[in-house]
Amino acid sequence: MAHTDVTLLKVTLLEYLRQENLQLECSQCQPGSNSRPGTSLFGYNVYPDRTEVWDDFELAKFDAAHNGTLKAELDQQHLLRKHPVLSNLPFREVHDEKSLEAFLILWTWQIVSEALAAAQRASLEVVYMVHGGQSFVPQTADKPPLHPDWGAVQRPADGSGLHCSVKGRNILPGDTKLSSKWSSTSITIGKGEMTKDAKYPISQIYKYCCSTNSRYGYLITDKELVVVRIDMESLDAYLQRNNEPRRRMTTLHYKAIPWRQTSCKDPELLTVNLVLWMLHLVAAREGGITSDEQSLHQALTAVPKRNARRSRRRPPSTPAHTVLDQGAMSTNGQNMKAWTTHLAHRILSDPSLGARTPDTPLRILDLCTGTGCIPLLLHSLLHRSHPSLEILGIDISRNAINLARHNLHHNVHKALLPSSGVSQIGFATGDVFKKHGIWDDREWDIVVSNPPYISPEDYDRTTTRSVRNWEPKTALVPPAPRKSTPSPLGARMGDEDVGDMFYPRILDISREAKANLVAMEVGDMAQAERVAEMLLSEQVWNTCEIWRDGITGRHGELEKKELGARSVGVRGEGNGRVVVAWRD
């Protein structure tokens, strides 16, 4: 079925996305109700407390919030496929939602997808516009799944996750409507009552956004694209509705973009395709709604994993900070910053630890990345000397990956990282204990990791209440090994072995990746010595060192510590913090 013209155009993305949409023929559309029989059974019976016009929905404001990266991409020239040729096809005739969706797939989806691919050619993880089953939202066992017509999902750029069995989270739900049944003009501003037919689509997209923890969503008709934004407090209020009285006001902001725009010379013109392209990138970069009481545009920040034995009590009102931000930081956060900085100096001072060839980037893999602090700090320290960088952070927690992405864009927006960080740093979900992962497709020069390393007994016996309240246990304590899964440390595992269980697997991945250097954070000197013995037993690494908390300067003074028949170097002062090994 050849409905498209494969002619390539050399144009900027802005020109490509601002080309005028085709006129649709909607005379056959019948007016009627938007509501379905038994709507309440599907849960579409929740509503925002207020609806407001999104007055400051502008390309310039989004671009400023993302440190100029959106406009920079839009101004780049690309070879792009010419718009589909549909002028003489019946797909321009809209009879119902299905025929409208058929047109949108052949026209809008192709244009937006082509532009997204062009803008993300250098990214490690990309966002896709999806339709139908790919956009469905699973719920709990006692509730049927939700079925938004459209969505956005993120996958590794190499395509390794496109056919995975686990459905990706829909980060930008959308739904198709007919203008003969609903339009944005029926929305009542403020707290005013709306008719059932006017309220149902608003309830529907509000439910989709809250259920997927998505800040943005949209309704698309044959006449307009209606973009919605959910305030950050909305999710919390939505989750409280069944059991507790509402404590916060929830507001849905919306902006209507006409289907056809004729004044393409307006520098601030927003077209349907341009807005959809922009929303997909913004949704991927900003993360979802949170239950925090911060305003919508106030940046989220995160604190790295802390050593439970040494963490300080943090008052509930004290905000956390990324390692690049100025402000309060836990003792262990300072230690992580110290050893990561020392590692960067080590890489810069030793050419053998750099990229394998002048034509390839310096590749760094961070396993158990958490909130992404190590990749962000390494990029900030290395990007001037290594303009071509490729840093990938892996974590099993989807929430951690979302927060890591948000931290990345927050720091770019604050100019704490260059804009190149958006394309050179990627984050993806992955289980390091699986035999294969998305890191398998290439060799890595450097492997770093701050894995869960606190044993179950130490967690129960020595952690403070603030650690148990503020830190996810899975970020601190390795999971209990399954009986059916062979232990990396042998058939029987003691409490100490459970605390060490990540390290053999990290060493396996480092060896398979042919890494020149591996650095692994540990909890104390005793654990550092055990991990160093694992490294020495491999006969792979020529040099092994233990770096203490107080490592300073570019090198630090070196001591020797005997471990059986071999010795390792020890630098810094205080407790053992990281074990590093490299090939000479």
Side-chain angles (χ1 to χ4, degrees):
M1 184 172 66
H3 293 305
T4 61
D5 188 334
V6 294
T7 302
L8 295 179
L9 303 172
K10 189 172 184 179
V11 293
T12 66
L13 280 182
L14 188 62
E15 293 169 332
Y16 186 72
L17 290 165
R18 277 186 171 171
Q19 293 187 56
E20 189 175 5
N21 276 336
L22 295 177
Q23 180 70 51
L24 296 176
E25 172 54 54
C26 305
S27 60
Q28 301 299 317
C29 290
Q30 298 298 317
S33 172
N34 269 300
S35 301
R36 303 173 185 172
T39 288
S40 61
L41 297 178
F42 289 88
Y44 301 129
N45 54 355
V46 292
Y47 307 95
D49 295 294
R50 296 179 60 87
T51 52
E52 299 288 349
V53 176
W54 193 347
D55 289 320
D56 60 348
F57 185 88
E58 300 171 4
L59 173 59
K61 289 188 180 295
F62 274 101
D63 185 56
H66 290 269
N67 205 35
T69 55
L70 294 174
K71 192 68 167 65
E73 272 300 339
L74 288 168
D75 289 339
Q76 291 290 320
Q77 282 199 336
H78 296 271
L79 281 174
L80 303 170
R81 286 180 296 178
K82 188 178 179 180
H83 284 195
V85 177
L86 302 174
S87 56
N88 297 319
L89 295 176
F91 292 103
R92 293 177 60 198
E93 298 178 3
V94 176
H95 296 258
D96 52 20
E97 285 187 15
K98 293 298 182 184
S99 56
L100 175 56
E101 286 179 8
F103 172 83
L104 293 174
I105 291 170
L106 289 171
W107 179 261
T108 306
W109 177 83
Q110 289 198 40
I111 294 168
V112 175
S113 296
E114 179 81 356
L116 285 172
Q120 301 177 99
R121 283 172 183 164
S123 300
L124 295 176
E125 191 168 30
V126 298
V127 60
Y128 295 90
M129 183 178 183
V130 297
H131 176 260
Q134 294 172 303
S135 60
F136 287 3
V137 180
Q139 295 204 99
T140 56
D142 59 335
K143 295 181 180 179
L146 302 176
H147 298 79
D149 297 322
W150 301 94
V153 297
Q154 288 177 287
R155 292 285 189 267
D158 61 7
S160 59
L162 286 178
H163 304 290
C164 62
S165 59
V166 179
K167 189 184 295 294
R169 182 174 73 89
N170 186 343
I171 61 174
L172 181 65
D175 216 63
T176 309
K177 299 296 174 190
L178 293 177
S179 64
S180 61
K181 298 184 178 183
W182 182 86
S183 78
S184 61
T185 58
S186 63
I187 300 175
T188 303
I189 306 301
K191 295 184 179 180
E193 287 296 322
M194 286 184 276
T195 65
K196 182 179 179 181
D197 287 337
K199 184 184 283 189
Y200 172 70
I202 295 297
S203 169
Q204 199 174 16
I205 197 64
Y206 179 66
K207 171 78 178 231
Y208 291 156
C209 289
C210 290
S211 297
T212 59
N213 191 32
S214 299
R215 184 177 300 177
Y216 306 108
Y218 61 91
L219 297 164
I220 187 166
T221 78
D222 47 281
K223 298 294 185 184
E224 61 184 345
L225 172 72
V226 181
V227 181
V228 303
R229 183 192 84 200
I230 310 298
D231 276 346
M232 296 183 77
E233 61 184 6
S234 299
L235 178 63
D236 181 77
Y238 164 73
L239 294 175
Q240 294 172 12
R241 287 177 189 265
N242 292 329
N243 300 314
E244 300 179 27
R246 278 178 268 169
R247 296 177 296 181
R248 302 173 185 165
M249 181 66 66
T250 64
T251 305
L252 180 146
H253 296 267
Y254 75 93
K255 177 71 173 182
I257 310 297
W259 172 253
R260 299 195 80 195
Q261 300 273 39
T262 56
S263 179
C264 295
K265 295 182 180 179
D266 181 357
E268 292 300 318
L269 176 71
L270 291 173
T271 63
V272 170
N273 295 327
L274 173 59
V275 169
L276 285 173
W277 175 87
M278 181 174 68
L279 281 180
H280 279 74
L281 294 180
V282 168
R285 295 174 182 180
E286 292 189 4
I289 310 169
T290 76
S291 58
D292 200 296
E293 293 188 48
Q294 299 170 347
S295 64
L296 175 68
H297 295 295
Q298 186 174 353
L300 291 173
T301 52
V303 68
K305 295 192 287 283
R306 294 170 290 177
N307 183 351
R309 299 181 182 92
R310 300 171 56 85
S311 73
R312 294 178 175 177
R313 183 87 176 264
R314 184 176 73 198
S317 60
T318 303
H321 295 261
T322 66
V323 293
L324 301 182
D325 270 323
Q326 300 299 315
M329 186 184 294
S330 68
T331 300
N332 201 35
Q334 294 169 345
N335 293 331
M336 188 277 293
K337 185 174 182 179
W339 75 253
T340 306
T341 302
H342 189 76
L343 174 63
H345 288 313
R346 183 75 180 83
I347 295 170
L348 292 172
S349 65
D350 188 346
S352 69
L353 300 178
R356 297 169 192 269
T357 70
D359 298 327
T360 59
L362 174 64
R363 294 191 172 109
I364 301 174
L365 176 65
D366 180 26
L367 301 171
C368 309
T369 193
T371 56
C373 294
I374 294 175
L376 300 189
L377 185 53
L378 284 175
H379 188 279
S380 71
L381 296 169
L382 296 173
H383 75 273
R384 290 183 179 86
S385 299
H386 293 273
S388 181
L389 276 172
E390 187 175 310
I391 306 178
L392 176 62
I394 301 292
D395 203 283
I396 198 170
S397 167
R398 169 58 65 177
N399 289 336
I401 291 299
N402 287 338
L403 185 52
R405 289 176 181 140
H406 188 97
N407 285 336
L408 167 61
H409 293 283
H410 165 68
N411 281 285
V412 170
H413 172 56
K414 292 286 188 180
L416 298 169
L417 276 178
S419 58
S420 61
V422 173
S423 61
Q424 293 180 347
I425 303 173
F427 296 102
T429 53
D431 184 349
V432 300
F433 286 108
K434 288 188 176 180
K435 187 175 181 180
H436 298 290
I438 65 172
W439 55 84
D440 287 341
D441 69 331
R442 67 200 71 188
E443 295 178 351
W444 297 91
D445 302 299
I446 310 289
V447 176
V448 296
S449 182
N450 179 12
Y453 51 66
I454 299 174
S455 69
E457 285 186 10
D458 278 343
Y459 181 84
D460 294 333
R461 191 181 56 215
T462 64
T463 54
T464 63
R465 184 174 64 179
S466 64
V467 170
R468 292 191 291 272
N469 288 343
W470 286 94
E471 303 291 344
K473 187 175 181 180
T474 54
L476 302 171
V477 182
R482 299 175 183 174
K483 293 181 179 180
S484 59
T485 304
S487 162
L489 296 168
R492 299 184 64 182
M493 296 183 69
D495 184 70
E496 195 175 82
D497 295 329
V498 173
D500 294 348
M501 67 181 294
F502 272 85
Y503 298 108
R505 180 59 185 142
I506 294 168
L507 291 176
D508 288 343
I509 294 173
S510 302
R511 186 176 60 254
E512 293 162 3
K514 299 181 181 179
N516 293 321
L517 181 147
V518 58
M520 299 172 287
E521 183 163 327
V522 294
D524 53 27
M525 182 56 78
Q527 190 172 47
E529 293 177 6
R530 295 195 301 271
V531 174
E533 288 178 339
M534 296 179 200
L535 278 161
L536 294 174
S537 68
E538 287 204 339
Q539 304 295 320
V540 172
W541 310 97
N542 301 97
T543 306
C544 178
E545 290 185 356
I546 296 173
W547 295 349
R548 297 179 184 268
D549 286 335
I551 191 164
T552 57
R554 291 183 177 271
H555 301 291
E557 299 206 4
L558 184 67
E559 307 170 12
K560 288 291 184 181
K561 190 174 189 66
E562 300 300 324
L563 293 179
R566 297 184 64 179
S567 63
V568 298
V570 180
R571 297 183 189 271
E573 299 176 353
N575 211 350
R577 179 55 52 206
V578 63
V579 180
V580 186
W582 60 89
R583 309 171 197 259
D584 290 336

